[in-house]
Amino acid sequence: MHRLIGAGLLGLALLPLSALAERQSLNEGWRFQRGDPEGYAALLQYDVRPEIRQSADGKVADARPDEAEKLQRPADGLLKPWILPSGNAFVADPARRAQRPSTDPAVAPPLLRADFDDRTWRAVTLPHDWAIEGPFLATGPYGGMGRLTTWGPVWYRKKLDIPARDKGKSIFLDIDGAMSHASVWLNGRLVGGWPYGYNSFRLDLTPYLAPGGSNQLAIRLDNPAESARWYPGAGLYRNVWLSVNDPVHVAHWGTVVRTPEVSREAAKVELAVTVDNDGKEAAALEVRTQLYLLNEDGKRTGAAVATLPAQRVTVAARGSATVNADTRIAQPRLWGPLPRQRPHRYVAVTTVSRDGKAVDTYETPFGIRSLRFDPDHGLFVNGEKIMINGVNNHHDLGALGAAFNVRAAERQLQMLQEMGANAVRMSHNPPAPELLELTDRMGILVMDEVFDSWERKKTPLDFHLIFPDWHEQDLRAMLRRDRNHPSIIMWSVGNEVGEQYTGEAGAAIGTRLVNIAREEDPTRPITGAMNYAKPDMALPATVDVISLNYQGAGIRSLPGQFPGFHQKFPDKMIMSSESASALSSRGEYQFPVPGVNSAPVRPGVGGDPKRQQVSAYELFAADFGSSADRSWAAQDQNPYVAGEFVWTGWDYLGEPTPYYGARSSYSGIIDLAGFPKDRYYLYQSRWRPDLPLAHLLPHWTWPERVGEVTPVHLFTSGDEAELFVNGKSQGRRKKAPYEYRLRWDYVVYEPGEISVIAYKDGKEWARSSVKTAQAPAALQASADRGTIAADGRDLSFITVRVTDANGVTAPRADQRIRFTVEGPGELVATDNGDPTNLESFKSPERAAFNGLALAIVRARPGQRGAITVRATAEGLRPATVTLQGR
C-alpha cells in the first residue's frame, strides 16, 4: 500500500507524487553548522568566482547591467565537473551532457564521515533560513540584500536509515530549494548538486546507499555575497524529500496534461506519461489513467469521470519511454480565476503495471481551461475577458525570511485577493511548489518566471556566473515541474536583462530561451519583462507577449511606450509586468503635500532622509516609476493593455529604495508585517468597484498642526463625495476623467473628527470617519485565526494595536511591546512593518510602528490545547489572545 510520510501541509496535497512509492519528508532531525573545516574552503568551491571590486549596493534599480568578467579557470580543484551531470536530464542534446569524472573529487573533510561528532552543531528543522535571525548589518553594504548576512559556506547533516527491504529500489533525494550552490554528499561520496538556489532538483542516491543500515547525508551550501538585488534567503529553505520507488516508475515530473479543446459542453484531455526503467532488464508495461474531480481541499472525490485508453509499452533497461492517450469529458468543470470564475480541478491517477502487478501510481492535478491572448482586447479565460489585476511578489515571507511556510504564503494571497488582486508574478524566480498549489486552489493567475539575469550581471556574483552552463537545465526544470498548474498562464524567461542593450546578440539568447520553453510547453505564451527595449529593438520580437516594466506610463521624462509597441506588434498582447513602484511607509504623512498626482521622492517632498521614511499620501514613487494614479491613466488611455502586475504586493526584504540604510522595501501595497498601507484601499477602490468603500487619510491626530493646512484625500469606489470637519462641509468633489482619488487640499486642521459621505451615480454609496486619538492607554490584540494545527508549521498572526481609552487607534504610538506565550505554543517572530527597524525578528519585544505591532505564534508539534498570548507595554493596559492548538 501507499505510504506517504510528512506530506500534506495544512491540507495541501504536495502533488504530483507516486502513490506506490514511499515519499518521506526529511524536514526533521538535521544538524547545522556555518563555515567549512579549516583548510577545505578552496577545495569545496563549485567554480571560480570573480573578485568583488565594487559593491553593487545602492545601485539604481533600473541601472544598466554590466558585461561579465572573463575568468581564468583552473584545471582541477573545483567541484563543477561532478555537479554539472546532475542537470543532464534537462539537456536536450546528448552531446552537451556532462560526463562525470571516473574518480571522486580529492577532498574528504571529516564531517562527511558517519562517526563525525556533530552534537555541538545546531539542531534544526526544515524549511530553514539561517540568515533571518540576524543580526542586521547597521553599516556597510548589503542594504540591497536586506542587511542580513546570507553568504558563506554552511553544512547540514542527517542520518538516513534505509531498511534492507529497499535494496534494489530506486531512491531519490528531492530538494525543493537550497540557497545556493548545493553539493550533496552521501556516505562520504559526492552525489551531485545544483547551483541555482531557486530551482527544485532531484538526485539519485541509489548508487551511494547501503540499505539495511544508517547512511550519512551531508549537504553543503555556499551562497555568494553580492549575489542578489534583494534578500535571497539562506539554507535549505524549502522542503526536502526522500522518494523510494520501484525501479520501474513514472519519471520525475514525468506527466504532461493538456486540454487543447475546451467548451462548456466538452473538453478533450491529453496525457503524456514518461516511464523510467532503472532496472537491468527490459520491462513490458501497461499504463492506465483515470480522471477524478478534486474538491476545494485538493482531495479526490467521487467516482472516476473518465478513463483513458490503456497503453502498452516496453521500456529498455536503463531507458525511458513516453506513452500518450486522450479522452473527452462532458460538461467539464472549468478552472478560472476568482471572483468571476471558479478554480475547479481534476486529478489524473496513472497506474503502471508489470506482469499484471501495479508497480507505481502517480497523481497529476490539473485544470481544464482555455486561454486567449488578444492584442486588442487583452486576456480571455474560458471565453471571458479578464483584466489582469496583478502584483509582483518576492519570495521572502517577512519576519519568517525565505523559509517557506504554507500558512504565511496563504495569508499573503488571501489579503491580496481581498484587495481585488487576481494575479501574481513570481519575481524573479521559480517559487516553492506549494505556492503554486495555493494559486491553483485559490483561483489566482500566475506569471511564472525563471531568471533575473542572463549573461550580463546586475550584481558581481549573481546568476550570470552560471547562466552559460545552466540556463537550459534551469529553464527546463522549472517548466517540467510547473507545467500542469492551471493557474500559470504564461512563462517569463527573464526580467530587465542586460541583453536588452546588446541588439541581435541579446535577441539570440532570448530566442534560444523561448525555443526551449516552446519545446517543453507549446500551449502557453512566453514573455520577458523589459524596462529599456524599444519597439524597434531586437529583443521584443523574440517573445509572444509584450511585457513592459514602467515603460507603459513612461520612465522619468520619457513618454509612455504602449502606443509604439502596439503599432509595431499588432499581433501581440501588451501588459505591464511591473507598474507603479510607488513608495510609502505605513502611517507616515509628510507636509507640505504637492498638488501633483505622481512625483519622485525627494527630501522634503515625500521623503525624510534623516528618518528614512516616505510619505503615505501615496503620491510618490521611485524615479523610474509612478503613482498608481499615473499608471492607471496610462492603461485607461490605451484600452488594449491587458492589465498590470504592480510593483509590489507586499514589502520585501532588501532593495530598500530610496533609502539603502533600511532593511526592506517601501514599494509594497502591504507592509512587511502584513499591515495594509493606505494604497491598499486605493487599489481596492479600482479592482473591486462593486465594494462600497470610502477610505480617508491621513490620520487626524496632529496636535502640532492646529490651524495649519492638512490635506485630506479619499480613496473610494464611488464617483463623488462630500467631506466634513467636525460637521462642517469642506465641499463636494466629483472624480474627473483619469482621476482616481478625491482630494481636499486646503483643509485646516482642528482636533475632532473628519467624516465623508461617498456617492455613486448620485446615490449614497459609503461613509467613513477618522477621529483624533487621545493619549495612548491600552493595547488591543486580535488573531487572524483562533484555531491552528498542532503540527509546528501552522501559524497565527496576531495584530496588536495601541489605542486611547476610547479604543481609537493611537496612530503615532511607538511604545515598546513585549510578547509572552503560555501553553503548548511558542513565539516565532515579531515585526512592526517599519522598514528602518534593525531589531532581530526573533526578539520577543518590538516597538509599535505608528500604533501597530505583530506577533507570529505556532503550536508545538503534537501538543494540543489553549495557547495564551499576552502583549504588555509600560503604562498601557495589556491585551490577551487565546488560541486553540488542534
Side-chain angles (χ1 to χ4, degrees), residues 681-692:
Y681 304 99
L682 183 59
Y683 279 95
Q684 195 173 56
S685 71
R686 177 175 172 90
W687 289 352
R688 297 187 62 185
D690 297 331
L691 176 70

Side-chain angles (χ1 to χ4, degrees), residues 446-460:
V446 171
M447 179 196 289
D448 207 1
E449 189 161 73
V450 64
F451 302 133
D452 185 51
S453 59
W454 294 348
E455 290 185 349
R456 298 177 76 85
K457 64 182 178 180
K458 297 180 179 179
T459 63

Side-chain angles (χ1 to χ4, degrees), residues 334-384:
L334 304 183
W335 186 97
L338 292 171
R340 301 288 294 273
Q341 301 181 28
R342 289 292 177 267
H344 299 294
R345 288 188 296 160
Y346 293 81
V347 62
V349 181
T350 300
T351 302
V352 179
S353 298
R354 183 179 189 180
D355 298 328
K357 178 183 177 182
V359 294
D360 195 14
T361 63
Y362 195 88
E363 298 188 358
T364 309
F366 68 97
I368 298 174
R369 49 103 176 101
S370 66
L371 301 174
R372 179 161 63 91
F373 299 81
D374 190 295
D376 296 315
H377 301 98
L379 173 68
F380 288 76
V381 181
N382 301 321
E384 179 183 11

Side-chain angles (χ1 to χ4, degrees), residues 23-36:
R23 192 177 192 226
Q24 301 179 30
S25 169
L26 293 186
N27 286 349
E28 306 289 337
W30 290 87
R31 293 284 179 171
F32 166 79
Q33 178 69 36
R34 291 178 63 179
D36 282 322

Side-chain angles (χ1 to χ4, degrees), residues 5 15 24 45 66-67 117 353 399 524 527 540 666 745 761 857 864:
I5 302 174
L15 300 171
Q24 301 179 30
Q45 286 190 42
D66 302 315
E67 187 176 358
D117 187 357
S353 298
R524 296 178 178 90
T527 190
Y666 297 75
D745 285 334
D761 298 328
V857 174
R864 296 173 172 82

